[in-house]
Amino acid sequence: MREMLGHGPGRFFLAVVITAILLFLFAVPRLAFSKTLFFGFMPAVWFWQALILVVCGGVCFWYLYREWPYRNM
Amino acid sequence: MTGGTTALLLFGIAVVLIGVYGARVSRKTAVDYMLAGRQIGAVVMFFYVAFVIYSAWTFYGYPGFTYLSGAPYSIFPLAAHLSFALFFVLVGPRLWAMSRMYGYISPVEFVEQRYESPFLRLLTALVLLVFIVPYVGVQVVGVGAGFHALTGLPYLAGAVYLAVLLLAVVFLGGMRTVAWVNVLLGSIFIAAFAGALIWVVAAVLPGGLLGAAQRLEASSPAIFGAPGPMGLWTYKAMVGLSIAGLTACAWPHVVVTTMTARTVGVLRSFALAFLLLGGVLFYAVPNLWGMIVGPALITGLKGKAADAVVQLVVTKFLPAWFAVFVLMAVIAAALSTVGTQLMVSGIFISRDLLTKWLRRQVTDMEMITYTRIGLIVVVILSFLLAWKRPTEMGRFLSDIASPGFTQWLPLLLGGLFWRRATKYGAIAGLSGGVLVLVLAMKYKAITFGFQPVLVALAVNLFLYVMVSLLTRPVAPATVEMFFSRVDKYLAGREGVACSE
């Protein structure tokens, strides 16, 4: 993590990670009060969490396979 | 003997034979027994760690408590997925590197050297051991519930069955066998858990998933959002649940797996696979069971009876042979989790407690023997807890074990990333956090309406930081050992100093 702070892509990655954590902490509990079902079966609390994980996963894929600072040994 | 009981007996014999084979191929060194020789590759790592995490709780406790309390309970496991994935890429590399550089076997070993405190290592190991017992107990409870639901045998019969299998796999074969067995057991679990869901939705549920969801929207909409059917999920409670999930990365039986990877790239592969395949895809299965399928097909379950909602649906609506397959999958899930938990417990007892107390060098075989003694002790304690079964299974994990593990997270992360952290801060934080957590279980008023884990962690962090800043820092040589040398190692600029 210390190495990630040393380059731009790493700082962007960490910013996304921190945003995801904050969303889980503060936004998801608010959104959980909705009883909307997405796609006819998916409660809102589950939908929003899955969306955060997908976006995070996409950013992880980009960063970990293109910019990860560790030598693979 | 019924067909179901026969199948379970044969399954048990197969697992014991794997344990025996694992013992034969083991290199009989402490590192091989405890850390699978640090040779776990990407595919095995995914199954190994995922099914360390996915346990009987995923089958029983989580759908059961979702059935009772509603969809917001999903915040805990899904936040945990994010937590584990991020832990493997942000923290895992440093733990992996130190394990190789300094020969660590226990995840707590670095605590002593980093903080220059054998006492802190002892305290940390004891705290983690205490909270591992209820987590192991969860698995025993789950298998007992499943046995009873399927075969009608007493709940204790399932608990004893699991205990015997555990001792065979873990006792004989060690961590390498646990990792292999997790690939097999994980595959069975996925096939049975998801297979049962697909079968029930396609052939049993009138109108399928959408029909069931529409009916529940009309009859019991409370299940789909906060505060839920039990009125449990206030905003504060859900923030606490989120914290419990986001701090799940502190689970010691997951932390230790970072030290078993063959290369640092394995950690990266695991993180991505777990986030997407695990959190988004696989966890749709227990979500659907707890939020829609269970409530649509079995009504009126209360309290601990809801733990068995999935097993009840399977037993009532699917053929007997498939119900047995599903129970085997549950046993597989429990075994895969408890196996690693027991290994870690054994490592704590042998490496962090007994050998420090003996104050002499021990041979690898002695270390393995002490580990095995530790396994037996933890199995007995967990069995006793399962027998008592004081609360719903879901709560064993989210309300007791996981919050307990969380209390070492500040000293773990601080030790890796904050040079100014001191042993006095770590001892104060860990002790304060655990004390608040234990008191909060009995005296709810001290939490001011927040989840106990939140209050305990806040106290822990405050003490850790303030006391560290007010006390003498560690020696510069220690800082260099855990910061610049590790940085160089990860950048490939320093060779391996000590490893096996």
Side-chain angles (χ1 to χ4, degrees), chain B residues 214-226:
Chain B
Q214 275 172 2
R215 288 192 296 279
L216 284 170
E217 243 188 324
S219 63
S220 322
I223 197 167
F224 293 131

Side-chain angles (χ1 to χ4, degrees), chain A residues 35-47 50, chain B residues 71 197 201 205 207-217 223-225 280-281 283-285 287-293:
Chain A
K35 299 209 178 30
T36 303
L37 290 182
F38 285 79
F39 313 118
F41 69 89
M42 202 172 180
V45 63
W46 175 13
F47 171 79
Chain B
L197 178 74
V201 167
L205 210 53
L209 210 52
L210 296 181
Q214 275 172 2
R215 288 192 296 279
L216 284 170
E217 243 188 324
I223 197 167
F224 293 131
V280 179
L281 279 181
Y283 236 76
V285 176
N287 279 347
L288 288 171
W289 274 114
M291 293 175 193
I292 296 177
V293 178

Side-chain angles (χ1 to χ4, degrees), chain B residues 232-294:
Chain B
L232 208 53
W233 303 121
T234 60
Y235 180 75
K236 270 188 194 173
M238 286 187 285
V239 170
L241 198 60
S242 195
I243 290 174
L246 288 168
T247 53
C249 57
W251 295 356
H253 50 291
V254 177
V255 171
V256 75
T257 61
T258 61
M259 296 159 65
T260 65
R262 187 187 305 146
T263 66
V264 74
V266 168
L267 305 178
R268 167 182 62 184
S269 306
F270 167 77
L272 205 50
F274 192 64
L275 198 59
L276 296 174
L277 297 179
V280 179
L281 279 181
F282 178 73
Y283 236 76
V285 176
N287 279 347
L288 288 171
W289 274 114
M291 293 175 193
I292 296 177
V293 178

